[in-house]
Amino acid sequence: MCGRYTLTVTMEELMLRYLVQDATIIHYAPNYNVAPMQNIPAVIGSSSGNRLGELRWGLVPAWSKDPLCGSRMINLRAETVAAKPSFQHLLSSRRCIIPVDGFYEWCKSGSVKQPMRIVMQDNSIFSLAGIYDTWVDSQGSKLNTCSIITTEASHLLAPIHHRMPVILDRDTEVQWLDRSQRDPAALVRLLRPYPAEPMRAYAVSRAVGNVRNNSKELLEPYQQQQQKPPAEASGHIRKPL
């Protein structure tokens, strides 16, 4: 699964990376601990080029009767998106990219859960495959939400967790955002594990388990953290998830 991630680059870097001429995000800042139910940057294709805006993380499909379901749909399995007609529609017409520069996963060893950060070897921005939808309440207010698609883990991720987010390379990014591509079978073929070789994983502080912690210190390798006063000493750290 994917329940936390990081996006620490500037808005200018984001716009350059995705060839966006204009962005609708009013308040943007680097985020070292992105969590579900937050508004997050997302890229959507259009006839006039890529658009960068915000979607709330946690999918509420248009047909849903309960907007609270978003907290349960932060991830969708690639197998589910491909098999269920209600999600096939979103796969065909409501695709987005979630830009990240790393994501967190917890590795369980006995009774201990050690958070790991997974990044590209060159620490570059990369793209997670997502779908989105717009839910409208009885008063006509709109809620735009999204979910990150997951697939089987690569060799790198398998010892940490059996699932990983779908990561798109530069070629598949173009196909994923192409609104003229509506063939579910062709799109499903893009939802595969990303190769392990371009990526690396390293342990980070358990302080990342608390969504209130959001600073660049969360990115530091755990051994480096050990040489400093423990973050838990602040009294604001809960037990990791």
Side-chain angles (χ1 to χ4, degrees):
M1 64 175 293
C2 178
R4 300 284 180 82
Y5 71 85
T6 64
L7 184 61
T8 65
V9 300
T10 66
M11 175 58 71
E12 290 73 17
E13 288 174 291
L14 266 184
M15 294 177 68
L16 181 62
R17 170 64 174 76
Y18 292 100
L19 304 177
V20 174
Q21 299 298 318
D22 190 22
T24 60
I25 301 176
I26 299 175
H27 302 291
Y28 173 82
N31 196 331
Y32 305 93
N33 197 3
V34 185
M37 307 305 285
Q38 294 178 356
N39 289 332
I40 61 174
V43 180
I44 296 173
S46 75
S47 58
S48 58
N50 292 340
R51 297 162 48 202
L52 177 62
E54 283 188 316
L55 298 170
R56 197 186 74 179
W57 185 12
L59 183 70
V60 181
W63 44 262
S64 177
K65 296 181 179 180
D66 181 9
L68 297 179
C69 71
S71 62
R72 302 188 298 273
M73 281 203 278
I74 64 170
N75 294 153
L76 280 176
R77 296 168 63 95
E79 300 87 343
T80 300
V81 171
K84 294 190 176 181
S86 55
F87 291 119
Q88 282 182 4
H89 166 69
L90 298 181
L91 178 64
S92 296
S93 61
R94 298 284 191 272
R95 300 184 301 277
C96 64
I97 278 175
I98 313 301
V100 308
D101 54 18
F103 62 92
Y104 298 112
E105 192 54 80
W106 276 255
C107 180
K108 189 173 183 180
S109 178
S111 60
V112 177
K113 289 186 177 180
Q114 173 61 53
M116 308 288 292
R117 184 170 181 246
I118 297 90
V119 300
M120 291 295 172
Q121 292 280 8
D122 61 1
N123 296 311
S124 60
I125 304 169
F126 55 101
S127 300
L128 306 187
I131 59 173
Y132 71 96
D133 207 358
T134 300
W135 183 83
V136 183
D137 68 14
S138 58
Q139 306 301 314
S141 297
K142 295 181 179 180
L143 178 63
N144 299 306
T145 62
C146 65
S147 182
I148 294 171
I149 300 175
T150 67
T151 186
E152 295 178 355
S154 67
H155 295 307
L156 174 68
L157 270 293
I160 302 172
H161 196 276
H162 66 286
R163 304 288 294 183
M164 69 179 292
V166 172
I167 299 172
L168 304 171
D169 61 25
R170 295 291 185 117
D171 290 336
T172 52
E173 283 177 11
V174 174
Q175 298 175 60
W176 189 252
L177 293 179
D178 182 0
R179 297 180 69 86
S180 68
Q181 174 58 273
R182 302 179 66 89
D183 178 11
L187 291 162
V188 165
R189 287 195 288 271
L190 307 180
L191 306 179
R192 55 183 183 265
Y194 195 78
E197 291 74 20
M199 307 191 78
R200 63 186 177 94
Y202 66 95
V204 294
S205 168
R206 282 180 288 175
V208 74
N210 186 340
V211 298
R212 292 176 295 176
N213 294 322
N214 196 325
S215 67
K216 62 183 179 181
E217 284 74 24
L218 295 179
L219 310 185
E220 296 179 5
Y222 183 66
Q223 292 301 323
Q224 184 175 344
Q225 288 275 357
Q226 290 284 61
Q227 299 171 8
K228 298 182 177 183
E232 287 81 356
S234 66
H236 297 294
I237 311 301
R238 296 182 302 187
K239 293 181 178 180
L241 297 178

